């Protein structure tokens, strides 16, 4: 429970930093690379959310207590303290909120699809709905379809219809419907985050602006026609969470202004690309490295290090010694590898120490509340006493 809460908090913090960086960089990216560059910068958000949960190598050798061949086995107490109730309550609240948000979005999507009525195929590859709850739009995820309203042929001229269909085909070709599905999932997971509503609205606006640019940039002469087509379709309708809508009245002014911009030159575009990549690499590296801090880190603890058997030949000759072992412990607490770092005298006690160490068990190290692999340096001393070792 605690580890899940820690992951959510860590991802929320880095997600907020990513959203703020995108908001700050938007004006510069817009000048350097236009709407497409701004839309591309949103890759920073999922990368920043994933980076803190990527595994971090945790094989720095930790000095452990020595093991004596004739001493008692080292046993770390493993009686856990009584777990507090509040983490479970918080997880329950989070799950309830996530499920509630999922239900709301699924209901909104189904309501929109039912409101379209019956669908019939058109010669241009699109589908015609019998009602218009907010069309044209690219509807669906696994099998997305371009759906137009019943008055599509009457409202738009042939050239305008072609622009609308090019716009929706561009959405489909660039996987914008998958991006909307990912946004819906993030809204469920981070329903409690105060920046999520703004980030969702801004992302969808940037998606539409980028699609407008992809549609018009190859045909600059069609900018005026495209603008008039936008004006014909600006009606207020409920939108579906996982649909790419042509209509978006709140951002009409911004879409028209984007059409007036000239095509970007190569050098500023490259600078914008470098800036986006730099933001992604820099922020994600910091988010990933944040796991390596001391906060939330617990070293591996010994459960059972049964003392090795004293070699009979060494006992008979009265030889004592010491072997320093590097013991690698997996995330499940089991020994994955044992190596001899040093041995005095060499070759006398090595096999006995290694054989015994392979059967030891540990409580794995924790980083951010999650078990991780680690390595320990354990000295094993072989000392003489008056008793002969067991054969």
């Amino acid at each position: 429970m605690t580890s899940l809460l820690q992951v959510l908090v860590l991802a929320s913090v880095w997600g907020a930093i990513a959203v703020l960086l995108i908001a700050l960089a938007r004006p510069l990216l817009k000048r350097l690379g236009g709407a497409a560059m701004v839309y591309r910068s949103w890759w920073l958000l999922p990368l920043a959310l994933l980076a803190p949960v990527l595994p971090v190598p945790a094989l720095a050798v930790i000095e452990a207590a020595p093991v004596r061949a004739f001493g008692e086995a080292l046993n770390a107490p493993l009686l856990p303290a009584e777990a507090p109730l509040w983490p479970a309550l918080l997880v329950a609240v989070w799950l309830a909120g996530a499920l509630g948000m999922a239900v709301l979005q699924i209901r909104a999507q189904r309501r929109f699809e039912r409101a379209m009525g019956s669908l019939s195929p058109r010669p241009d590859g699109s589908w015609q709905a019998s009602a218009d709850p907010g069309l044209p739009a690219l509807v669906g995820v696994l099998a997305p379809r371009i759906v137009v309203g019943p008055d599509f042929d009457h409202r738009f001229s042939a050239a305008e219809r072609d622009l609308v269909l090019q716009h929706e085909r561009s959405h489909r070709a660039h996987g914008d419907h998958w991006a909307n599905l990912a946004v819906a999932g993030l809204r469920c997971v981070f329903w409690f985050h105060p920046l999520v509503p703004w980030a969702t609205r801004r992302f969808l606006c940037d998606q539409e602006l980028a699609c407008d640019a992809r549609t018009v940039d190859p045909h600059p002469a069609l900018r005026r026609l495209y603008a008039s087509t936008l004006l014909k379709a600006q009606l207020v309708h409920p939108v579906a969470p996982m649909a790419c809508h042509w209509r978006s009245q709140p951002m009409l002014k911004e879409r028209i202004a984007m059409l007036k911009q000239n095509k970007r030159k190569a050098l500023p575009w490259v600078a914008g690309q470098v800036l986006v990549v730099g933001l992604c690499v820099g922020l994600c590296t910091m988010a990933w490295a944040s796991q390596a801090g001391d906060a939330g880190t617990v070293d591996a603890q010994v459960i059972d290090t049964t003392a090795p058997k004293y070699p009979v030949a060494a006992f008979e000759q009265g030889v004592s010694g010491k072997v320093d072992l590097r013991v690698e412990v997996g995330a499940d607490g089991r020994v994955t590898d044992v190596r001899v770092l040093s041995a005095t005298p060499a070759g006398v006690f090595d096999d006995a120490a290694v054989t015994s160490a392979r059967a030891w068990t540990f409580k794995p190290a924790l980083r951010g509340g999650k078990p991780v692999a680690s390595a320990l340096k354990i000295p094993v001393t072989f000392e003489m006493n008056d008793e002969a070792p067991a054969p």
Side-chain angles (χ1 to χ4, degrees):
M1 296 294 182
T2 304
S3 60
L4 176 59
L5 293 176
Q6 290 175 341
V7 169
L8 285 173
V9 171
L10 192 61
S12 298
V13 171
W14 286 106
I17 294 174
V19 170
L20 293 176
L21 282 178
I22 293 171
L24 292 174
R26 284 189 82 259
L28 178 59
L29 290 174
K30 192 173 181 180
R31 288 197 296 269
L32 293 175
M37 189 69 67
V38 175
Y39 184 49
R40 196 172 295 120
S41 69
W42 281 99
W43 274 106
L44 180 61
L45 180 56
L47 292 176
L49 293 175
L50 290 174
V53 299
L54 294 178
V56 177
L59 293 180
V61 179
I62 302 166
E63 191 79 26
V67 176
R68 297 184 181 275
F70 286 92
E72 295 182 355
L74 298 178
N75 293 284
L78 293 178
L79 297 177
E82 185 177 352
L85 186 60
W86 65 266
L89 293 176
L90 287 179
V91 170
V93 171
W94 170 76
L95 282 175
L99 290 175
M101 180 61 71
V103 169
L104 289 176
Q105 294 189 96
I106 292 173
R107 290 183 62 184
Q109 183 72 20
R110 289 182 176 177
R111 188 185 305 115
F112 178 83
E113 293 178 1
R114 287 196 300 267
M116 293 189 302
S118 60
L119 302 181
S120 56
R122 292 168 50 90
D124 55 19
S126 64
W127 294 75
Q128 186 126 29
S130 58
D132 186 358
L135 301 171
L138 180 68
V139 183
V141 177
L142 296 179
R145 295 184 289 187
I146 299 174
V147 184
V148 299
D151 61 345
F152 184 64
D153 293 327
H154 301 289
R155 180 183 294 272
F156 302 101
S157 66
E160 292 170 340
R161 292 197 298 270
D162 184 59
L163 285 176
V164 172
L165 294 178
Q166 285 185 42
H167 177 97
E168 298 301 333
R169 291 186 187 116
S170 179
H171 273 309
R172 183 169 57 190
H174 286 79
D176 289 341
H177 52 295
W178 290 108
N180 290 351
L181 177 62
V183 169
L186 289 178
R187 290 183 66 187
C188 294
V189 176
F190 297 99
W191 59 269
F192 56 89
H193 203 293
L195 290 180
V196 165
W198 179 89
T200 300
R201 291 192 300 269
R202 190 65 262 176
F203 172 82
L204 295 177
C205 289
D206 288 340
Q207 183 184 88
E208 286 303 317
L209 292 172
C211 193
D212 289 342
R214 292 193 301 262
T215 305
V216 174
D217 283 351
H219 312 287
L222 298 178
R223 292 177 182 270
R224 184 179 296 275
L225 178 62
Y226 197 88
S228 65
T229 307
L230 286 174
L231 291 171
K232 283 187 177 183
Q234 295 308 310
L235 298 176
V236 177
H237 284 285
V239 296
M242 288 164 281
C244 300
H245 294 269
W246 166 264
R247 298 173 174 176
S248 50
Q249 184 169 352
M251 54 178 299
L252 173 61
K253 183 178 180 181
E254 190 173 0
R255 294 179 76 177
I256 297 297
M258 186 277 298
L259 294 174
K260 298 179 181 179
Q261 297 175 359
N262 297 324
K263 191 174 180 62
R264 300 294 166 184
K265 297 182 180 179
L267 186 58
W269 184 87
V270 171
Q273 289 280 68
V274 171
L275 178 58
V276 171
V277 173
L279 285 174
C280 291
V281 172
L283 184 63
C284 294
T285 299
M286 289 190 294
W288 178 75
S290 67
Q291 302 176 81
D294 293 333
T297 300
V298 179
D299 295 336
Q301 301 176 25
V302 175
I303 295 178
D304 179 20
T305 53
T306 303
K309 294 182 178 180
Y310 209 105
V312 175
F315 183 84
E316 291 176 349
Q317 298 176 21
V319 177
S320 300
K322 178 183 178 182
V323 179
D324 288 331
L325 298 177
R326 173 191 169 97
V327 180
E328 295 187 3
V329 181
D332 58 357
R334 297 182 180 180
V335 175
T336 58
D337 188 38
V338 181
R339 282 182 284 169
V340 176
L341 298 177
S342 62
T344 307
V348 177
F349 301 103
D350 301 38
D351 291 342
V354 170
T355 300
S356 178
R358 292 189 184 280
W360 293 345
T361 54
F362 299 82
K363 185 177 181 179
L366 300 177
R367 175 164 289 127
K370 298 185 298 182
V372 295
S374 60
L376 298 90
K377 179 182 178 182
I378 301 180
V380 182
T381 59
F382 292 80
E383 298 176 343
M384 296 296 297
N385 67 3
D386 297 333
E387 299 178 1

